[in-house]
């Protein structure tokens, strides 16, 4: 499904729904291209608002609020930066002729674990973990029995690992199913039950689509980024580029990513998450936008994921992206609740050669909120990782 004319000649204005750290970098890249930028988010002073021409603060699950802002601003393209958006409003806007990046259907499918899994495993037929969908604790029990313990349940809609519960035996089903639903976004009582695998490596394959001048679409994937999370939490803290998985594994991951992304369609960059377990290479999920783990591309690539997304959004090509150096990124997390946080020891972190810091400018902290990221280059990813670990361990958010 292609929407609108591919190349937006004379495109002037982009509007973001969601203004976090990824939005901020996208806005900066758009500013560099002379575009007008508008950011909408649910709280004031969100990171991207600091660098945009205009901002709006509304509840983004409120379809009417979104529609009225977009009709007033009339952007050339709408870029969604988070999942918690009223996607039916996006579908309507697209029907009326607005360009949604990558497209409204892809945004709606990617925020729903059940729809995305059906698309990837049943339509595109890329390998995934064994899974089943369930809506009652009886159905969860049956799914776990069929798949085999341990299982992981995830709500139909949620992000950053919210509501992920590992179930080790039947006696835990009731409680963990309830817990998963308690962290779901929206009112759905559906969950996906997946085989709980031993993850050896985790990759993000950035994959992008842009229109060709003579018609048609170019899809390209980049060498995988690798990332890691601490045991027992389900969000990433460190990523590095390039990944050190064998060539054939990287090639399989890139092939699956391209196939899923081509089915989602539209223009823009996608972050395709791949899990490696033994000799299995499994598609997991995809962000229809730049990916958190891709912040590392600000150090590793000549053209970062944000610039690629902005270009693709308005129909401009990115025929080649070069990996210029091994690099790593490590998040800076808050560990308490506070307004107007201060960052201590930044000067010590910057003493380490090759280290850069991006502080997102969020107005307040809460426990485990991502407040910034440390980037570093190195002669190899090991050296880059050592630098970001050292630098991020020095910095305190207070
Ligand atoms: N089936 C699974 N078995 C083991 N670990 C998993 C499984 N699925 C996801 N994970 C881990 O949980 C993390 C978050 O899961 P994911 O499905 O990507 O949800 P989110 O949308 O919250 O990022 C993954 O990056 C991976 O480390
Ligand atoms: Mg994920």
């Amino acid at each position: 499904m292609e929407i609108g004319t591919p190349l937006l000649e004379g495109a002037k204005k982009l509007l973001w729904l969601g203004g976090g750290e990824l939005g901020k970098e996208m806005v900066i890249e758009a500013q560099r291209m002379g575009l007008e930028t508008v950011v909408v988010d649910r709280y004031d002073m969100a990171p991207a608002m600091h660098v945009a021409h205009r901002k709006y603060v509304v509840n983004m699950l409120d379809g009417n609020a979104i529609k009225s802002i977009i009709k007033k601003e009339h952007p050339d393209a709408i870029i969604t930066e988070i999942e918690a958006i009223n996607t039916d409003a996006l579908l309507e806007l697209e029907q009326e002729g607005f360009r949604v990046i990558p497209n409204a259907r892809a945004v709606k499918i990617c925020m729903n674990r059940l729809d995305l899994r059906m698309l990837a495993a049943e339509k595109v037929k890329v390998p995934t973990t064994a899974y089943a969908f369930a809506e009652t604790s009886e159905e969860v029990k049956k799914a776990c029995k069929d798949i085999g313990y341990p299982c992981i349940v995830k709500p139909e809609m949620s992000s950053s690992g919210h509501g992920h519960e590992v179930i080790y035996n039947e006696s835990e089903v009731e409680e963990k199913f309830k817990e998963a639903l308690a962290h779901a976004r929206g009112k759905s009582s559906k969950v996906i039950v997946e085989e709980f695998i031993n993850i050896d490596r985790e990759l993000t394959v950035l994959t992008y689509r842009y229109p060709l001048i003579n018609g048609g679409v170019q899809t390209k994937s980049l060498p995988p980024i690798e990332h890691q999370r601490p045991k027992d939490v389900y969000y990433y803290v460190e990523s590095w580029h390039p990944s050190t998985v064998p060539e054939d594994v990287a090639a399989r991951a890139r092939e699956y990513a391209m196939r899923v992304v081509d089915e989602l369609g539209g223009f823009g960059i996608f972050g395709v998450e791949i899990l490696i377990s033994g000799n299995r290479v499994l598609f997991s999920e995809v962000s229809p936008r730049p990916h958190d783990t891709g912040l590392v591309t600000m150090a590793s690539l000549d053209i970062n994921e944000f610039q690629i997304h902005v270009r693709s959004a308005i129909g401009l090509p990115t025929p080649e992206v070069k990996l210029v150096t091994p690099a790593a990124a490590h998040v800076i997390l808050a560990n308490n609740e506070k307004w107007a946080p201060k960052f201590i020891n930044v000067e010590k972190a910057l003493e380490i050669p090759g280290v850069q810091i991006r502080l997102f400018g969020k107005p307040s902290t809460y426990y485990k909120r991502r407040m910034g990221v440390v980037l570093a280059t190195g002669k190899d990813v090991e050296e880059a990782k050592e630098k970001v670990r050292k630098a991020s361990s020095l910095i305190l958010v207070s």
Side-chain angles (χ1 to χ4, degrees), residues 36-47:
E36 192 178 340
T37 57
V38 183
V39 169
V40 186
D41 207 330
R42 64 173 203 291
Y43 68 98
D44 199 9
M45 298 296 278

Side-chain angles (χ1 to χ4, degrees), residues 90-341:
L90 289 180
L91 284 167
E92 275 178 47
L93 288 160
E94 190 175 82
Q95 293 259 303
E96 289 175 30
F98 286 98
R99 173 190 289 226
V100 177
I101 298 301
N103 66 59
R105 168 183 163 265
V107 171
K108 195 170 161 92
I109 290 175
C110 291
M111 74 185 274
N112 185 303
R113 295 184 201 284
L114 280 55
D115 291 344
L116 180 60
R117 184 53 65 102
M118 277 191 283
L119 177 137
E122 292 163 33
K123 196 158 183 201
V124 184
K125 299 197 188 330
V126 289
T128 64
T129 50
Y131 68 95
F133 302 146
E135 215 176 344
T136 62
S137 54
E138 281 314 307
E139 285 173 8
V140 177
K141 261 181 213 158
K142 175 164 186 322
C144 290
K145 208 165 159 202
D146 293 346
I147 292 168
Y149 291 96
C151 282
I152 182 167
V153 282
K154 305 173 187 171
E156 179 169 29
M157 285 190 260
S158 77
S159 42
S160 305
H162 287 296
H164 288 26
E165 294 290 330
V166 182
I167 306 181
Y168 292 94
N169 58 59
E170 194 173 309
S171 72
E172 297 179 350
V173 167
E174 203 93 29
E175 180 201 330
K176 300 231 165 138
F177 174 55
K178 239 190 232 158
E179 193 58 28
L181 290 185
H183 291 91
R185 185 183 317 124
K187 292 197 181 71
S188 161
S189 54
K190 292 185 190 147
V191 295
I192 180 171
V193 183
E194 283 182 51
E195 152 196 23
F196 185 70
I197 55 166
N198 240 328
I199 298 176
D200 297 319
R201 318 279 285 266
E202 254 190 273
L203 306 178
T204 303
V205 181
L206 293 173
T207 303
Y208 62 99
R209 287 167 53 93
Y210 66 88
L212 293 167
I213 291 170
N214 302 324
V217 178
Q218 178 75 57
T219 308
K220 283 181 178 276
S221 70
L222 300 180
I225 293 165
E226 191 164 348
H227 53 103
Q228 202 169 38
R229 58 186 170 81
K231 208 174 155 4
D232 298 326
V233 301
Y234 292 96
Y235 48 83
Y236 101 103
V237 295
E238 192 172 277
S239 63
W240 56 94
H241 202 194
S243 121
T244 55
V245 298
E247 264 315 306
D248 63 308
V249 172
R252 271 158 77 192
R254 290 173 76 167
E255 189 225 314
Y256 301 157
M258 305 250 286
R259 279 163 55 195
V260 172
V261 164
D262 274 336
E263 177 57 36
L264 290 166
F267 303 124
I269 202 164
F270 299 71
V272 181
E273 297 179 16
I274 302 278
L275 307 177
I276 317 273
S277 180
N279 55 14
R280 299 167 80 194
V281 177
L282 305 169
F283 167 86
S284 177
E285 63 162 5
V286 49
S287 65
R289 57 184 67 90
H291 196 271
D292 285 328
T293 60
L295 284 161
V296 71
T297 64
M298 289 195 279
S300 63
L301 297 179
D302 60 347
I303 305 174
N304 69 44
E305 63 168 351
F306 309 105
Q307 168 72 215
I308 297 172
H309 200 56
V310 168
R311 286 190 195 193
S312 307
I314 55 174
L316 296 173
T318 309
E320 187 180 61
V321 180
K322 282 213 171 91
L323 213 127
V324 287
T325 169
H330 193 106
V331 294
I332 298 170
L333 297 176
N335 54 14
N336 56 15
E337 267 181 49
K338 206 168 181 123
W339 276 92

